[in-house]
Amino acid sequence: MFKPKYPPMDTAPVSAAQPLTVHSPVPLQHAAAPAPTEAASNRPAVQLAPGSTLTLVVGGSAVALVVGAVLVSMLLAVAVTAASVAVCAVTVRSILKSDRR
């Protein structure tokens, strides 16, 4: 299923060998690059109004609370699963022990 399908060998195109061409090296001349300059920013500086700061704080707190609730619920699900597996193990052990008597 995952093996690639290759074409048969006789359908591959045959390439003719090309003669080698020897080129003489050409000396390179590098021009001196100008020093980079700081480009002036056309964007205004970010300014937060007191209302927008409060919105950011409340939004960040809400996100933290939601993420925390999700993580705690996942931890609780793992704990409940572990407890149920432990109860099952004790029950099976008890049944097997009573069969031996």
Side-chain angles (χ1 to χ4, degrees):
M1 179 176 166
F2 295 109
K3 291 183 180 178
K5 296 179 181 176
Y6 296 112
M9 291 302 288
D10 59 346
T11 61
V14 179
S15 61
Q18 298 191 3
L20 291 175
T21 308
V22 179
H23 297 284
S24 61
V26 177
L28 295 176
Q29 296 178 355
H30 296 287
T37 58
E38 286 289 326
S41 177
N42 295 338
R43 297 181 300 169
V46 176
Q47 295 179 357
L48 294 177
S52 62
T53 304
L54 181 63
T55 303
L56 286 175
V57 169
V58 170
S61 299
V63 168
L65 288 174
V66 168
V67 169
V70 168
L71 292 177
V72 167
S73 65
M74 287 171 44
L75 180 63
L76 182 63
V78 169
V80 168
T81 304
S84 65
V85 168
V87 168
C88 290
V90 168
T91 305
V92 168
R93 181 177 145 196
S94 173
I95 291 172
L96 290 176
K97 191 174 185 180
S98 66
D99 270 353
R100 290 182 185 169
R101 289 183 186 180

